[in-house]
Structure formats: structure tokens, C-alpha cells
Amino acid sequence: MTAYDTVLNPTTGWILLALFGAGWIALGIYWGRKAKNLDGFMLAGRNVGLALGAATAMATWVTSNTIMLAPQFALQMGVWGMLAYSTASFGLFLFAPMAMRIRQLMPRGYTSGDFIRLRYGRAAWGVFLFISLVYSMAWLVSMAMAGGIVLKALAGIPYEYGMTVILMVCVVYTLFGGLYAVIGTDFIQSLIILAGIVGIGVVVLTRVEFGAVYQDLHTFQPALLNLLMPVALLSLFNNMFFGFGEVFHNNVWWSRAFAMRGKVPGRAFTLAGFLWFPIPIAAGFIALAAFTLGINITDSDMAGPTVAGQVLGPIGAMIVFIVVFCSLGSSIDSLLAATSDLVSEDIYKKMLRPAASEGHLRYINKGVIVGLGLLTWLICLPRPGNLIEVLFLSGPLVGSAIWPVVAGLFWRGANRTGALLAMILGSACGLLAYYLIGWFTASLIGSGVSMIVVFVSTWLAPQPFDWKTLNEHPTQKT
Amino acid sequence: MRRTIDYRKQQSSFLRIPSALAGLLLLGLTAATGETPAAGFTEPGDSPAAVGEGHLHLRWSAGEGDFPPPGWQFRLEQSPDPGFAGARTLYLGRDTGTFTSGLPSGSTYFRIRTEEKEGDLAGPWSGTLEVQVRFPEPWLVALLVAAGAGLALTLLLTIVLGTRRARRDDDEEGKAKTGVAG
């Protein structure tokens, strides 16, 4: 495709991979010693403070997609594209008060699945678990694949090796340290990500002026500055609701709400939203400057790394390499931990072995982490081409879960059957919209249909709920 | 000269001598046969190509070897006119693809050829590639944008009002407990 080779040589890539990989594993083992019981392993002792809480939320939300997809959005849809990606931070802002409510209603809770089961019953719980597991696997696989692809593009490390090493490192330190290790490494990773992206943005700004970028876009790609660009306008709301769905339903975020102490969740998620908001804008600007810098973008999903590598040379490529490794690590570890909690707590304990002891559950949890890592590796190995599309296809699914979660947290009369139908009909209509109109409408329509079903069912047949039911004792049978 | 990537700077010294030799050989061959390398689009495969979102990947090659001989490059032109009046150079360099975006609604035309980096020789223009951009209907966009704004506002209000109500309920519950205790 391009007439030049990788910016970083493979030896440098391997050295960076080995250094950071060994570092994360060592830290995971070190922090893992704090996890004395199940609460410690799964929820970091429910005592996470503001700094660690905000850092873990921010770092988890900076995924490989943020580094790769935010510049792609900017290239494809211009100014609205950058803003559309940034709206994912609104999910963190709105989750802040929800996290406080979750902490208050479920002081002994473990997973988002617990909430749906206690609030709406087993049928809605089953649908919710299906949505959550499909989305989590799609996210996990897309990130592991992205890791392999980026390492190959930047340093020429073969895809299979890069993907395997990244996945293995995350599995090992999550296995040893549980959520303690995840949150601890997230803190360091968030600092590296912020410094790296701000650093690249500043250097790009010294090479090119805002005015010149604007003038070039105005002359050669005026549609990218058009505030009425149809697809961009639609993607703004679609991405916003995709983000709401991802954050509101997924156990990655619920486990953090359970893990933070006192009033920390509200402040931590708000702070994380503010820290995250400018990242896609900076990444998007880097991509929009490509034209003015005379850089040819051959693959839109590699715009960010391509520009950084060419503007900063090997140093830039090293920074991108480290930032991508950190963003992948901070998200893969969180997903491994939160999804293993969901499987061991909601499926194993609640469905198969309600009397399982704490020690036994911890053993199962570790087994699930290894199993998830192995399954992800097997799916990623042949490098299937359509998995990013699967992640986007999960947009309407998670969008349909927004209203059952929100209404369930704040409305005493939310209808149980309504919640179940909202997830099924919202998912179905959203998927139809995906194929009939376009990806940029799927999450919006999925959540819209879900909202109508929840509103109408609750209005027609409210079912009063006793909030105390949510404060389930861990040994209580279902 | 816009969007030019200097191929020679990107190559290692190990590759330079063989490339230069190969270039001389190919140029000699070109001069001897009087032929110039021809370029053609490989993606999108069909013309006209329908694009729903105003952006696309373009791929091309210079025959069997994909890349043109050393000393040669591609020139990609874009125009709103099928006769290429007022055409602009979208890309000049040795890459075999580019990503272009911000295309307006309607038809845009592309063509490509090879040409000498330092010289006047040029290959023939490829066949014209027509790209048709069709955005969603304005009424549908307006409807969905309004729905999106309404949904977002409703969600925000539900969470804000729900939080306030939950706090009020907690306060009342607290007062009731205090009253009972007192």
C-alpha cells in the first residue's frame, strides 16, 4: 500500500513490548497480594479512592478504538466526527449520578447482572446477559486484534506474535492481581496515555498552524467543515447513545461503582469524563492535519499512528506504540476482570452452584479469566475481517439496555415485562436500521424504541418495587 | 507539490543501489521500447461506484508490480466534471492507495496516471472512475436528529430528576428514622 517501511524497527518494538509487559506483570503480582478475599479480588476491597477511581475510568475508556477510530471519524466526518467521538465521554458524566445510586441501593452488589435479575426477574436477566456477553466479547476481540495490527504496522512485529503477547500479558496480571492490579496499572497507564497524546498533539501543532489546516479543509474538503453534513450529524447522536449503552449496562463500569468507596463514584466518573473528552478531539485534529502536512493516508483506521509516526519519526512511533499498548492493556484487563465476574457470579454461582464457597468462586473466577483469554486468542488468531463490524453491530443491543437500566434505578414502578420487551424490540429495530439505513442510526433507533416500550409499559401497568430487594446478601439464594 | 512522500528518503541504504540499478534498467527499457507504465484503479471495482457517506478508499496499481518503476510516480486527479475541467491533484507520489473524504453529494470523477518525477514523460490517463455520493434524505436526517436530541434530553432529565427525587426520599426516610428514635 505505502511505498515505505515501518517507522520503528522490530527489535525496538520487541524491547518495548518486553519492558512494558514485564512491568505490568510485576505490578500485577505486587498489587495482587492485597487481594485477601473475594471482595478484594473482584472489587479491590470496595475501597478505591478518587485518584485511582478517576484514572481507571478514564484509562479503561481510552481503548485502541479511541486511538484508531477517533482520527478515522475526524477524517470521514470532519468537525462533527471529532465531536461525535467525544460524546462518548457523556456516558461517563451521566453514569456519575447513576454510580452513586448503584452504590447506595446495592452496597453488597457484585455485577450489573445482579441488578437486572433482582429488579426485573430471570427472563430479562437472561436477555441482558446475552447482550452483555456478546458486546464484551466483541470489544475484547476487536481490541486484541487491533493490538496485533498496530504492532505490525508500527514495528513490523508479526500480527500473531503481537496479539498473543498483549493478550497474554493482560491475562497474567489480571489473574494474579484481580481488580487491584487492574486499577493500579490503569492509574499508570492513564498518565502515560494522557502525556503521550498531549505530547503528540503539541508537536503536531508546532509543525502546522490551525489556520493552514482550516484553509486546506475549506479549499479541498469543504464538506468536512459543513455543520449540516448529514451522516456526521446522525453519527453524533448515534455515537452518543452507543456510548451511553456501553457504559450504563456493562459490568466494567458497574464493578468500578461497586469498588469505589463512599461518595467517590460520582466525582470519579465526572472527573474521568472531563479528562477523556479532549482526547478524541486531539486525536482527530492530528488526522485532519495530515493533508496540510503532506501525508498520504492509505488506510483510514491507521490515520493517527501514520501521522504521528511520520511527523515525529521513530520517537513518535515509539510514543504511539507505548500509548497504544497502555490503552489496550487498560481496557483488556478491565474487560477480563469484569466479564469473568459476570460469568462466575451471574452464571456459575446464581445458575449452577448457589452454595459455592468464596474460595471456590475465586478459583472459578481465575479459570474464567484464563478461558476468556484463550477464547479471545482463538477467535483473533485467523484475523477475521468482520469483527470490528460485530462491535458496531452490538451498538443497538447495548442501546436497547439504556432505558431498562435507567428506569430500573430511578423509577419505582418500572414494568418487568416492559424492560424485557424493550431490550428485545430495541435490539431488533436497531439491527434492522443498521442494515436498512446505515450504521449511523442503529444505536439511536435501538435506544429510541427501547425508551418508548419502557415509557408505555410503565405508564400502562406500573409495578411498584421495594428498593430494599436490591440489597441482596451475598449468600442469599435466588 | 502537495501530499508527496519521498520514497527514496524512506528506503534504507541497503535498498538504494539495487533500486537505482533497477530504475536505470527499467528506464532504459522504457526508452528503448517507447512505452510508458500505465496505471489503473483496482478499488472500487465498478464505475460508477455508489458511496453513501462521502468518503472512500481508492486503490490503484501500475500493472504487475503495483508500484511504478523508480523515478516514476502516480498522479491522481479529482474533478466534479467528467471532462476534468478544473481538476485538482489529489495525490502525487508512489503509494498505491489513498483515503479521500468530504466528497459532496452527486458525482465526483477520478483518474490516474504515472509520470516521471523529474522529466516530461507520462503514462496514459486511466479510465475515468465515477463516484456517486448519495446522502440519506434530508427529511430522514432532520427526523432522526430531532429524535436524537429529544432522546438525549429525556435521558438527561430522567437521570437528574431521578437523582433529586432519590435524595429527597432519603432525606425523608432519615427524618422519619430520627423522629422514631427521638
Side-chain angles (χ1 to χ4, degrees):
Chain A
M1 186 58 57
T2 53
Y4 47 85
D5 297 325
T6 55
V7 186
L8 213 57
N9 71 59
T11 312
T12 313
W14 277 116
I15 291 170
L16 288 173
L17 207 55
L19 278 178
F20 278 85
W24 300 142
I25 290 174
L27 286 170
I29 293 170
Y30 173 73
W31 277 312
R33 292 187 306 182
K34 284 184 173 182
K36 306 286 184 202
N37 54 22
L38 192 65
D39 264 13
F41 188 77
M42 283 173 68
L43 298 171
R46 298 184 192 266
N47 196 31
V48 175
L50 180 61
L52 286 175
T56 187
M58 193 281 272
T60 302
W61 211 209
V62 180
T63 67
S64 54
N65 291 338
T66 319
I67 311 292
M68 322 264 284
L69 212 56
Q72 187 177 353
F73 261 50
L75 266 185
Q76 292 177 347
M77 292 173 280
V79 178
W80 277 127
M82 281 198 293
L83 291 175
Y85 210 94
S86 282
T87 59
S89 65
F90 296 178
L92 296 178
F93 289 131
L94 286 189
F95 193 66
M98 290 169 65
M100 293 297 292
R101 180 80 172 148
I102 291 164
R103 196 79 175 81
Q104 180 202 13
L105 292 174
M106 303 178 71
R108 293 182 289 200
Y110 279 97
T111 67
S112 53
D114 279 344
F115 169 75
I116 296 292
R117 175 178 50 81
L118 294 167
R119 186 69 181 83
Y120 295 122
R122 295 181 80 92
W125 181 41
V127 174
F128 180 83
L129 281 181
F130 173 77
I131 289 174
S132 199
L133 290 176
V134 166
Y135 165 77
S136 297
M137 275 314 293
W139 189 12
L140 200 52
V141 167
S142 72
M143 278 191 300
M145 274 179 61
I149 292 168
V150 174
L151 297 197
K152 186 174 189 301
L154 286 176
I157 293 174
Y159 164 81
E160 296 81 5
Y161 296 161
M163 181 272 292
T164 305
V165 170
I166 285 181
L167 203 53
M168 197 179 68
V169 166
C170 293
V171 166
V172 170
Y173 77 74
T174 310
L175 195 64
F176 278 107
L179 199 61
Y180 273 121
V182 170
I183 289 178
T185 49
D186 278 2
F187 182 73
I188 300 172
Q189 286 158 348
S190 68
L191 295 178
I192 294 173
I193 291 167
L194 266 181
I197 292 180
V198 170
I200 292 169
V202 167
V203 173
V204 169
L205 267 177
T206 60
R207 303 282 173 89
V208 65
E209 287 179 9
F210 262 123
V213 175
Y214 174 82
Q215 197 54 49
D216 276 345
L217 289 174
H218 189 261
T219 309
F220 296 106
Q221 293 168 291
L224 296 184
L225 296 173
N226 181 7
L227 295 182
L228 293 174
M229 187 181 183
V231 175
L233 268 175
L234 289 175
S235 77
L236 182 80
F237 287 106
N238 190 70
N239 213 52
M240 191 189 294
F241 281 93
F242 192 3
F244 288 154
E246 287 177 286
V247 176
F248 291 5
H249 98 281
N250 199 270
N251 198 46
V252 163
W253 310 101
W254 282 67
S255 63
R256 275 153 180 75
F258 292 130
M260 292 177 202
R261 66 169 173 260
K263 293 184 176 174
V264 166
R267 282 175 283 169
F269 280 105
T270 306
L271 184 57
F274 278 116
L275 288 172
W276 195 90
F277 182 77
I279 290 175
I281 294 178
F285 175 74
I286 291 169
L288 285 181
F291 194 87
T292 308
L293 288 163
I295 296 168
N296 181 37
I297 303 295
T298 54
D299 291 297
S300 56
D301 57 357
M302 286 297 292
T306 304
V307 175
Q310 290 207 32
V311 170
L312 284 87
I315 300 290
M318 277 171 69
I319 295 172
V320 173
F321 190 99
I322 294 166
V323 167
V324 168
F325 192 16
C326 288
S327 63
L328 285 164
S330 63
S331 307
I332 292 175
D333 61 5
S334 302
L335 261 171
L336 284 170
T339 312
S340 65
D341 289 356
L342 202 66
V343 173
S344 57
E345 182 68 19
D346 281 71
I347 295 177
Y348 187 78
K349 186 185 173 191
K350 296 289 176 354
M351 291 183 185
L352 304 173
R353 290 274 298 273
S357 69
E358 206 177 283
H360 181 70
L361 269 182
R362 191 170 166 177
Y363 175 76
I364 292 295
N365 197 303
K366 288 189 171 191
V368 175
I369 291 173
V370 175
L372 280 174
L374 202 60
L375 179 64
T376 307
W377 182 76
L378 284 172
I379 297 173
C380 290
L381 199 58
R383 198 177 164 175
N386 58 354
L387 277 163
I388 296 294
E389 194 179 334
V390 173
L391 182 64
F392 284 122
L393 269 171
S394 68
L397 272 64
V398 299
S400 75
I402 294 172
W403 281 96
V405 169
V406 172
L409 279 173
F410 294 110
W411 297 352
R412 196 181 287 275
N415 185 286
R416 292 156 70 108
T417 312
L420 171 68
L421 286 176
M423 287 189 276
I424 294 172
L425 292 176
S427 297
C429 293
L431 287 172
L432 269 178
Y434 184 99
Y435 287 110
L436 295 179
I437 307 174
W439 65 269
F440 41 84
T441 60
S443 303
L444 177 60
I445 288 178
S447 61
V449 170
S450 167
M451 183 189 84
I452 292 168
V453 175
V454 167
F455 269 64
V456 171
S457 61
T458 303
W459 180 59
L460 288 177
Q463 290 180 322
F465 179 76
D466 182 3
W467 296 119
K468 291 192 182 83
T469 311
L470 290 171
N471 189 11
E472 184 186 42
H473 193 275
T475 56
Q476 196 173 317
K477 287 187 181 173
T478 52
Chain B
M1 205 54 80
R2 301 178 50 77
R3 304 186 85 174
T4 307
I5 294 171
D6 190 341
Y7 172 61
R8 289 167 299 185
K9 280 184 190 169
Q10 306 287 344
Q11 286 188 316
S12 66
S13 55
F14 169 75
L15 289 172
R16 263 181 216 153
I17 294 171
S19 301
L21 280 174
L24 281 173
L25 281 170
L26 275 163
L27 282 176
L29 191 68
T30 302
T33 58
E35 288 178 8
T36 51
F41 290 105
T42 55
E43 190 185 322
D46 302 321
S47 180
V51 176
E53 298 167 29
H55 57 80
L56 81 160
H57 284 102
L58 291 169
R59 315 280 189 219
W60 55 81
S61 78
E64 278 183 21
D66 280 355
F67 293 108
W72 287 67
Q73 61 187 354
F74 292 108
R75 180 184 291 274
L76 172 69
E77 283 193 349
Q78 174 187 340
S79 172
D81 178 61
F84 284 86
R88 71 171 176 114
T89 298
L90 184 65
Y91 174 68
L92 189 63
R94 292 180 52 84
D95 291 351
T96 56
T98 194
F99 176 77
T100 186
S101 59
L103 297 178
S105 183
S107 288
T108 302
Y109 302 88
F110 297 91
R111 64 182 180 180
I112 192 160
R113 73 176 184 188
T114 55
E115 57 184 42
E116 278 187 313
K117 271 186 170 179
E118 292 163 9
D120 297 328
L121 279 177
W125 284 111
S126 66
T128 300
L129 170 69
E130 182 183 359
V131 173
Q132 293 176 342
V133 176
R134 272 188 63 188
F135 290 124
E137 296 294 329
W139 66 265
L140 182 64
V141 175
L143 181 73
L144 288 171
V145 167
L151 270 174
L153 192 63
T154 311
L155 187 65
L156 179 69
L157 281 174
T158 304
I159 293 172
V160 169
L161 295 177
T163 305
R164 286 175 63 178
R165 187 172 174 178
R167 272 192 204 141
R168 204 171 54 233
D169 289 351
D170 289 344
D171 289 345
E172 283 170 11
E173 201 176 315
K175 279 177 192 168
K177 276 184 185 167
T178 314
V180 171

